[in-house]
Amino acid sequence: MLLGDRSHYPSIIKHKAALEFFEQQHIEHGSNMTAWTTYGVESGQMAAQSLIEGGATAIACASDELALGAIKATRSLGLNIPEDISVTGYDDSASMSFMAPSLTTVRQPVAKICLSTINALMAMMENKRLMARRDVILFDPELIVRESTGRCLRPRTSDDKD
């Protein structure tokens, strides 16, 4: 996992959900397979390189920008996507389907989020007591499968780190 800043609430939620999934599915995931960094292509590249050198064959990124960094790291190490490393992003930024390989990513329901925000603001304008509430509204994202993910064709070994 390649996540944003440790204090960034969406990254914290993604981390918690992933750990719960790993536990439910009985998947071993050491803390060395999670990298926390700032959002950006360069920081994503540095963090992803560390994950790959640690043996990662797939990297789930908290943003498309981090995923671009992971792709750069993969290529700089002479590896191929998705044959050696699968990479996923989050946000479905406009150009992700046009890059090569096109990025598998998670699309947020932006229209529903915006409508919900407007409705909540309108309700607060009519009833000021609602401003004190701290409800959390979660939306179901959509996985957009493209070319950056696939079955790892050759398992990586400790020899690959040299």
Side-chain angles (χ1 to χ4, degrees), residues 110-157:
V110 175
K112 287 180 182 178
I113 293 169
C114 292
L115 182 60
S116 178
T117 301
I118 291 168
N119 288 338
L121 290 170
M122 298 290 284
M124 283 185 237
M125 288 171 54
E126 292 177 18
N127 182 351
K128 302 289 186 209
R129 289 181 293 193
L130 292 176
M131 286 188 207
R133 292 180 58 173
R134 298 288 182 240
D135 296 339
V136 174
I137 301 171
L138 299 176
F139 297 88
D140 289 328
E142 178 184 3
L143 178 63
I144 308 299
V145 179
R146 295 193 181 113
E147 299 168 331
S148 68
T149 53
R151 184 176 302 271
C152 181
L153 295 182
R154 68 175 180 90
R156 297 187 65 231
T157 66

Side-chain angles (χ1 to χ4, degrees), residues 33 46 48-56 77 79 156 160-161:
M33 286 289 107
M46 289 187 299
Q49 183 168 336
S50 174
L51 291 172
I52 294 166
E53 289 171 347
L77 293 169
L79 300 172
R156 297 187 65 231
D160 292 333
K161 295 178 193 175

Side-chain angles (χ1 to χ4, degrees), residues 52 59 69-81 85 87:
I52 294 166
I59 303 175
I71 289 170
K72 285 182 72 170
T74 301
R75 288 182 176 155
S76 73
L77 293 169
L79 300 172
N80 297 307
I81 297 168
I85 306 286
V87 177

